[in-house]
Short mmCIF file of all heavy atoms in Angstrom, two decimals:
data_model
loop_
_atom_site.label_atom_id
_atom_site.label_comp_id
_atom_site.label_asym_id
_atom_site.label_seq_id
_atom_site.Cartn_x
_atom_site.Cartn_y
_atom_site.Cartn_z
N VAL A 1 0.81 -1.21 0.00
CA VAL A 1 0.00 0.00 0.00
C VAL A 1 0.85 1.26 0.00
O VAL A 1 2.02 1.24 0.33
CB VAL A 1 -0.94 0.01 1.22
CG1 VAL A 1 -1.89 -1.16 1.17
CG2 VAL A 1 -0.16 0.00 2.52
N HIS A 2 0.21 2.35 -0.37
CA HIS A 2 0.86 3.65 -0.27
C HIS A 2 0.75 4.10 1.18
O HIS A 2 -0.25 3.85 1.84
CB HIS A 2 0.21 4.65 -1.22
CG HIS A 2 0.42 4.25 -2.65
ND1 HIS A 2 1.63 4.42 -3.28
CD2 HIS A 2 -0.40 3.66 -3.54
CE1 HIS A 2 1.54 3.96 -4.51
NE2 HIS A 2 0.32 3.49 -4.70
N ARG A 3 1.76 4.74 1.65
CA ARG A 3 1.85 5.10 3.05
C ARG A 3 0.72 6.03 3.48
O ARG A 3 0.44 7.02 2.84
CB ARG A 3 3.20 5.74 3.32
CG ARG A 3 3.49 5.83 4.79
CD ARG A 3 4.83 6.39 5.06
NE ARG A 3 5.86 5.42 4.73
CZ ARG A 3 7.13 5.74 4.68
NH1 ARG A 3 7.53 6.95 4.92
NH2 ARG A 3 8.01 4.82 4.38
N SER A 4 0.12 5.70 4.60
CA SER A 4 -0.93 6.51 5.22
C SER A 4 -0.29 7.81 5.73
O SER A 4 0.82 7.79 6.24
CB SER A 4 -1.52 5.70 6.37
OG SER A 4 -2.46 6.44 7.07
N PRO A 5 -0.99 8.95 5.60
CA PRO A 5 -0.41 10.23 6.04
C PRO A 5 0.17 10.23 7.46
O PRO A 5 1.27 10.76 7.65
CB PRO A 5 -1.58 11.21 5.89
CG PRO A 5 -2.38 10.63 4.77
CD PRO A 5 -2.29 9.14 4.95
N PRO A 6 -0.49 9.64 8.48
CA PRO A 6 0.14 9.65 9.80
C PRO A 6 1.48 8.89 9.85
O PRO A 6 2.33 9.19 10.68
CB PRO A 6 -0.89 8.98 10.70
CG PRO A 6 -2.19 9.21 10.03
CD PRO A 6 -1.87 9.14 8.56
N LEU A 7 1.66 7.92 8.95
CA LEU A 7 2.95 7.20 8.93
C LEU A 7 4.08 8.10 8.42
O LEU A 7 5.24 7.83 8.68
CB LEU A 7 2.85 5.94 8.07
CG LEU A 7 2.04 4.79 8.65
CD1 LEU A 7 1.93 3.65 7.65
CD2 LEU A 7 2.64 4.30 9.96
N LYS A 8 3.73 9.16 7.71
CA LYS A 8 4.72 10.11 7.20
C LYS A 8 4.95 11.28 8.14
O LYS A 8 5.91 12.01 7.99
CB LYS A 8 4.26 10.69 5.85
CG LYS A 8 4.10 9.72 4.74
CD LYS A 8 3.73 10.49 3.49
CE LYS A 8 2.59 9.85 2.76
NZ LYS A 8 2.18 10.59 1.59
N ASP A 9 4.05 11.48 9.08
CA ASP A 9 4.05 12.68 9.91
C ASP A 9 5.06 12.59 11.05
O ASP A 9 4.94 11.72 11.92
CB ASP A 9 2.64 12.89 10.48
CG ASP A 9 2.48 14.20 11.21
OD1 ASP A 9 3.48 14.93 11.40
OD2 ASP A 9 1.34 14.51 11.60
N PRO A 10 6.05 13.48 11.09
CA PRO A 10 7.05 13.47 12.18
C PRO A 10 6.41 13.65 13.56
O PRO A 10 6.93 13.12 14.55
CB PRO A 10 7.97 14.66 11.85
CG PRO A 10 7.73 14.97 10.42
CD PRO A 10 6.34 14.51 10.10
N LYS A 11 5.29 14.37 13.64
CA LYS A 11 4.62 14.55 14.93
C LYS A 11 4.08 13.22 15.45
O LYS A 11 4.12 12.95 16.65
CB LYS A 11 3.49 15.56 14.81
CG LYS A 11 3.96 16.98 14.60
CD LYS A 11 2.80 17.92 14.44
CE LYS A 11 3.28 19.32 14.09
NZ LYS A 11 2.17 20.22 13.78
N THR A 12 3.56 12.40 14.56
CA THR A 12 3.06 11.09 14.97
C THR A 12 4.23 10.22 15.41
O THR A 12 4.13 9.53 16.43
CB THR A 12 2.29 10.40 13.82
OG1 THR A 12 1.29 11.29 13.33
CG2 THR A 12 1.64 9.12 14.29
N HIS A 13 5.34 10.26 14.68
CA HIS A 13 6.53 9.51 15.07
C HIS A 13 6.98 9.92 16.47
O HIS A 13 7.30 9.07 17.31
CB HIS A 13 7.68 9.74 14.08
CG HIS A 13 7.53 9.00 12.80
ND1 HIS A 13 8.18 7.81 12.56
CD2 HIS A 13 6.80 9.27 11.70
CE1 HIS A 13 7.86 7.38 11.35
NE2 HIS A 13 7.03 8.25 10.81
N GLN A 14 7.00 11.21 16.74
CA GLN A 14 7.42 11.72 18.04
C GLN A 14 6.46 11.28 19.14
O GLN A 14 6.89 10.85 20.21
CB GLN A 14 7.52 13.25 18.01
CG GLN A 14 8.01 13.86 19.30
CD GLN A 14 9.43 13.45 19.65
OE1 GLN A 14 10.25 13.16 18.79
NE2 GLN A 14 9.71 13.39 20.95
N ALA A 15 5.16 11.35 18.88
CA ALA A 15 4.16 10.93 19.87
C ALA A 15 4.29 9.44 20.18
O ALA A 15 4.20 9.03 21.35
CB ALA A 15 2.75 11.25 19.38
N VAL A 16 4.54 8.63 19.16
CA VAL A 16 4.73 7.19 19.37
C VAL A 16 5.97 6.95 20.24
O VAL A 16 5.94 6.16 21.19
CB VAL A 16 4.85 6.44 18.01
CG1 VAL A 16 5.39 5.04 18.20
CG2 VAL A 16 3.51 6.41 17.30
N ARG A 17 7.05 7.64 19.91
CA ARG A 17 8.30 7.49 20.67
C ARG A 17 8.10 7.89 22.14
O ARG A 17 8.52 7.17 23.05
CB ARG A 17 9.39 8.33 20.01
CG ARG A 17 10.79 7.96 20.33
CD ARG A 17 11.86 8.63 19.48
NE ARG A 17 11.49 9.83 18.74
CZ ARG A 17 11.19 9.87 17.44
NH1 ARG A 17 11.20 8.76 16.73
NH2 ARG A 17 10.87 11.00 16.84
N GLU A 18 7.44 9.02 22.36
CA GLU A 18 7.20 9.49 23.73
C GLU A 18 6.31 8.53 24.50
O GLU A 18 6.56 8.25 25.67
CB GLU A 18 6.56 10.88 23.70
CG GLU A 18 7.51 11.98 23.28
CD GLU A 18 6.82 13.33 23.10
OE1 GLU A 18 5.60 13.44 23.38
OE2 GLU A 18 7.51 14.28 22.66
N MET A 19 5.26 8.04 23.85
CA MET A 19 4.35 7.10 24.49
C MET A 19 5.08 5.82 24.87
O MET A 19 4.92 5.31 25.98
CB MET A 19 3.20 6.76 23.53
CG MET A 19 2.20 5.81 24.10
SD MET A 19 1.04 6.62 25.15
CE MET A 19 0.44 7.88 24.07
N SER A 20 5.89 5.33 23.97
CA SER A 20 6.66 4.11 24.22
C SER A 20 7.62 4.30 25.39
O SER A 20 7.69 3.46 26.29
CB SER A 20 7.42 3.73 22.95
OG SER A 20 8.22 2.60 23.17
N GLN A 21 8.34 5.40 25.38
CA GLN A 21 9.31 5.67 26.46
C GLN A 21 8.59 5.84 27.80
O GLN A 21 9.08 5.37 28.83
CB GLN A 21 10.13 6.91 26.13
CG GLN A 21 11.09 6.67 24.99
CD GLN A 21 11.74 7.94 24.47
OE1 GLN A 21 11.37 9.05 24.83
NE2 GLN A 21 12.72 7.77 23.58
N HIS A 22 7.43 6.48 27.79
CA HIS A 22 6.64 6.66 29.01
C HIS A 22 6.27 5.30 29.59
O HIS A 22 6.42 5.07 30.80
CB HIS A 22 5.38 7.48 28.68
CG HIS A 22 4.53 7.78 29.85
ND1 HIS A 22 3.41 7.03 30.15
CD2 HIS A 22 4.60 8.75 30.80
CE1 HIS A 22 2.84 7.52 31.23
NE2 HIS A 22 3.54 8.57 31.64
N ALA A 23 5.81 4.40 28.77
CA ALA A 23 5.42 3.06 29.24
C ALA A 23 6.64 2.25 29.66
O ALA A 23 6.59 1.51 30.64
CB ALA A 23 4.64 2.33 28.15
N GLN A 24 7.75 2.38 28.93
CA GLN A 24 8.95 1.62 29.27
C GLN A 24 9.50 2.01 30.64
O GLN A 24 10.05 1.16 31.36
CB GLN A 24 10.03 1.82 28.20
CG GLN A 24 9.72 1.13 26.90
CD GLN A 24 10.65 1.52 25.78
OE1 GLN A 24 11.65 2.21 25.97
NE2 GLN A 24 10.32 1.08 24.56
N ARG A 25 9.34 3.27 31.03
CA ARG A 25 9.80 3.70 32.36
C ARG A 25 9.00 3.01 33.47
O ARG A 25 9.48 2.90 34.60
CB ARG A 25 9.69 5.21 32.50
CG ARG A 25 10.76 5.96 31.74
CD ARG A 25 10.79 7.44 32.09
NE ARG A 25 9.62 8.18 31.64
CZ ARG A 25 9.49 8.75 30.44
NH1 ARG A 25 10.48 8.65 29.56
NH2 ARG A 25 8.39 9.40 30.13
N LYS A 26 7.82 2.51 33.15
CA LYS A 26 6.98 1.83 34.14
C LYS A 26 7.22 0.32 34.19
O LYS A 26 6.68 -0.35 35.06
CB LYS A 26 5.50 2.08 33.82
CG LYS A 26 5.09 3.50 33.95
CD LYS A 26 3.64 3.58 33.54
CE LYS A 26 3.03 4.86 34.04
NZ LYS A 26 1.58 4.81 33.95
N GLU A 27 7.98 -0.20 33.23
CA GLU A 27 8.20 -1.65 33.16
C GLU A 27 9.02 -2.15 34.34
O GLU A 27 9.93 -1.47 34.82
CB GLU A 27 8.97 -2.02 31.88
CG GLU A 27 8.12 -2.09 30.65
CD GLU A 27 8.91 -2.52 29.43
OE1 GLU A 27 9.97 -3.18 29.55
OE2 GLU A 27 8.46 -2.19 28.33
N LEU A 28 8.71 -3.35 34.75
CA LEU A 28 9.52 -4.02 35.76
C LEU A 28 10.82 -4.48 35.11
O LEU A 28 10.85 -4.78 33.91
CB LEU A 28 8.77 -5.23 36.33
CG LEU A 28 7.42 -4.94 36.99
CD1 LEU A 28 6.75 -6.25 37.38
CD2 LEU A 28 7.60 -4.03 38.19
N GLU A 29 11.86 -4.57 35.88
CA GLU A 29 13.17 -4.97 35.35
C GLU A 29 13.09 -6.32 34.63
O GLU A 29 13.66 -6.50 33.56
CB GLU A 29 14.19 -5.04 36.50
CG GLU A 29 15.58 -5.43 36.07
CD GLU A 29 16.25 -4.39 35.19
OE1 GLU A 29 15.99 -3.17 35.37
OE2 GLU A 29 17.04 -4.77 34.30
N GLU A 30 12.33 -7.25 35.18
CA GLU A 30 12.23 -8.58 34.58
C GLU A 30 11.51 -8.59 33.23
O GLU A 30 11.65 -9.52 32.44
CB GLU A 30 11.54 -9.55 35.55
CG GLU A 30 10.09 -9.18 35.80
CD GLU A 30 9.65 -9.39 37.22
OE1 GLU A 30 10.41 -9.09 38.14
OE2 GLU A 30 8.51 -9.85 37.40
#
């Protein structure tokens, strides 16, 4: 498929990265 506009959007990339990092900080070491 042709890329969906949010897949091209740097703001969406940044929001995904921030969300992921936020959740990773809550992960247990194991």
Side-chain angles (χ1 to χ4, degrees):
V1 298
H2 295 285
R3 193 177 288 169
S4 176
L7 288 175
K8 297 183 226 178
D9 188 353
K11 290 178 186 173
T12 308
H13 284 261
Q14 183 64 29
V16 166
R17 200 169 18 260
E18 288 173 5
M19 181 81 55
S20 177
Q21 290 169 351
H22 182 262
Q24 288 170 8
R25 285 190 292 272
K26 295 177 162 194
E27 280 183 23
L28 301 175
E29 181 66 33
E30 66 218 40

